[in-house]
Amino acid sequence: MTRNSRPWWRDAVIYQVYPRSFADADGDGIGDVNGLRDRLPYLRGLGIDAIWLSPWYVSPMADAGYDVADYRDIDPVFGTLAQAEAFLAEAHALDLRVIVDIVPNHCSDRHPAFAAALAAAPGAPQRDLFWFRPGRGAHGELPPNDWRSHFGGPAWTRVPDGEWYLHMFAPEQPDWNWDHPAVRADFETTLRFWLDRGVDGFRIDVADHLVKDPALPDVTALAPGSISPWRDQEGVHEIFRSWRAIADSYPQQAVFVGELWEPNADRFTRYLRPNELHTGFNFAFLSCPWDALSFRAVIDETLSTHAPIGAPATWVLSNHDVVRHVTRYGRADTSHSFAPDAMTHTADLALGTRRARAAALLSLALPGSAYVYQGEELGLPEVQNLPDEVLRDPRWIRSGRTDRGRDGCRVPLPWSGTAKPYGFSPGWATADPWLPQPDAWAALSADAQSGSRPSMLELYRRALHLRRTEPDLGDGTLTWLDTAGSAADGVLYFQRGDGFACLVNLSGHPVPLPPHGYLLLSSDPLQDLKVAPDSAVWLRLS
């Protein structure tokens, strides 16, 4: 199958937009749909294939839009449904596809269905759409089981009539009961609502959480090694098979991308069978430390588990939930962690930036599709010194102010100028950005980097242009080469197709260039015709 004839999603480069922090057109300090529309030429010029939008739906914003009150409308802070439809048309006119978030595990406590459930009496059918249960203890004063919220504290909140409801995240995010046919039917209506408007796919938030063990057993009562009763239950696959049938009935080749923090590779790939999800995020790659043997193992396992079911791999370095990889790669511990103190470890940003440049060439050279988180192409680091009083992530409050949460990777982007807000908001705006930007970001703005060949932005532009024009890149196979050293030596060296090769030097010393026809791209200058430590090159072998 030629590159032009295979489905677009098998080797697309997809750019994640976190709408609150991308571009503000109306001057209120919060990114919006019109700001995104204004920046579409920038995204087209970057060389991406598709845009993935974090939630833009009606929401009280208890968790930055992941608490949805209306799945079929746009929150006024972002704009209007008409503006969203105009954005879709304008993106398609630029040959950019659009993937939107869908949040099926939970909704907002302001969702009409949950408001009706709260207003109803215990045992009423309105409550069956969620997980309402009586409490334990003599007076029902204890939660129904010992499950813990991912944001800290119990996963249950008690309502005035004495019952408790389940929320695997914040109390403002009650979990839907996917055993109920009305829940399934309503989400299928939502899928069709957006597909009818031309959306090209959906990123599924916490895709493995939808179905729970109906017995709601205590976790502490389970045998060691048991699957958590709130995730990866067999019934979830039936849901995704029905969703896939809907997507396949539309002409735009709509794609599903699952957020799947599933450590078991075999269980992960069960979601990617031909009649379920198209792709899933490769968090093993994102979490991998800066170590050649570790990267080699993750890449090998990814490709070997995806190949039998014919699913393309995905490669991702950062997103809206994790410490930006410029910072992560500059720390003593370069792996990803959700531990509360992981947000505050010191980093050598010069080292982290060198490694991030090399990681960009690695991820874009691997077989399958790749993701770029907004600002990654600018080399933005994590903002680790946000004042306590500006933190918005519910993890901050739910953890008793011990986990600073994810706000550091969500700071509004710098576009231009030498003073804040660096073009994020219009020059006439009086409102500050919703999170403060660092003083040092003037040098990292898109305008400051544009046209500067050594910049991160121009590296991404050149790499994405080559990825489009090099016939061996994108989907396909990978062959490891050993003429430049092995992973045990700190070197990753592989060939794609008939004549493209990528070498990444993760060792502490320069590595000689292997025999080649010509150098296509280098993440950093060569040292006496050698690949510098923490850098990468793309080669045409003949």
Side-chain angles (χ1 to χ4, degrees), residues 46 357 361 452-469 520-523 538:
L46 185 61
R357 292 172 65 91
L361 296 197
S452 172
R453 190 169 182 82
S455 72
M456 184 77 83
L457 176 57
E458 292 300 337
L459 176 70
Y460 268 80
R461 285 174 173 167
R462 294 196 304 276
L464 290 170
H465 172 76
L466 284 169
R467 183 180 163 101
R468 280 178 176 264
T469 56
L520 291 168
L521 186 61
S522 177
S523 66
W538 284 1

Side-chain angles (χ1 to χ4, degrees), residues 158-179:
R158 199 177 193 189
V159 301
D161 59 39
E163 283 204 324
W164 299 72
Y165 69 86
L166 176 67
H167 53 85
M168 292 308 302
F169 294 87
E172 297 86 355
Q173 296 169 291
D175 280 37
W176 291 104
N177 175 12
W178 276 87
D179 291 337

Side-chain angles (χ1 to χ4, degrees), residues 239-390:
I239 295 167
F240 293 143
R241 285 192 289 270
S242 69
W243 284 21
R244 179 63 177 264
I246 292 172
D248 287 349
S249 72
Y250 280 77
Q252 61 258 50
Q253 293 185 312
V255 61
F256 290 116
V257 186
E259 183 195 23
L260 298 163
W261 288 92
E262 172 53 68
N264 183 291
D266 291 330
R267 296 196 70 86
F268 175 92
T269 52
R270 292 177 74 237
Y271 289 85
L272 309 184
R273 290 173 290 194
N275 62 346
E276 294 191 36
L277 307 183
H278 300 76
T279 62
F281 284 122
N282 188 348
F283 291 118
F285 185 75
L286 179 151
S287 302
C288 191
W290 189 254
D291 173 77
L293 284 171
S294 299
F295 270 123
R296 173 71 183 261
V298 167
I299 293 167
D300 281 345
E301 182 173 45
T302 298
L303 297 178
S304 65
T305 53
H306 282 64
I309 56 173
T314 66
W315 311 101
V316 56
L317 298 170
S318 285
N319 67 26
H320 65 291
D321 283 333
V322 304
V323 172
R324 286 186 176 273
H325 61 277
V326 162
T327 297
R328 202 167 67 241
Y329 288 153
R331 295 174 170 174
D333 180 358
T334 54
S335 63
H336 160 70
S337 171
F338 279 124
D341 64 349
M343 306 295 179
T344 59
H345 292 174
T346 58
D348 178 342
L349 293 184
L351 174 63
T353 298
R354 285 200 306 275
R355 289 173 170 174
R357 292 172 65 91
L361 296 197
L362 170 61
S363 64
L364 293 173
L366 292 169
S369 61
Y371 285 78
V372 176
Y373 176 50
Q374 64 177 42
E376 172 183 327
E377 80 280 11
L378 302 178
L380 298 185
E382 186 82 0
V383 182
Q384 298 182 268
N385 59 349
L386 290 170
D388 290 357
E389 62 270 18
V390 306

Side-chain angles (χ1 to χ4, degrees), residues 58-59 107 126 137 186 214 250 312 314 351 372 403 442 486 504 511 518:
V58 175
S59 169
C107 63
Q126 292 90 333
D186 194 61
Y250 280 77
T314 66
L351 174 63
V372 176
D403 183 342
S486 66
V504 188
V511 171
Y518 53 92

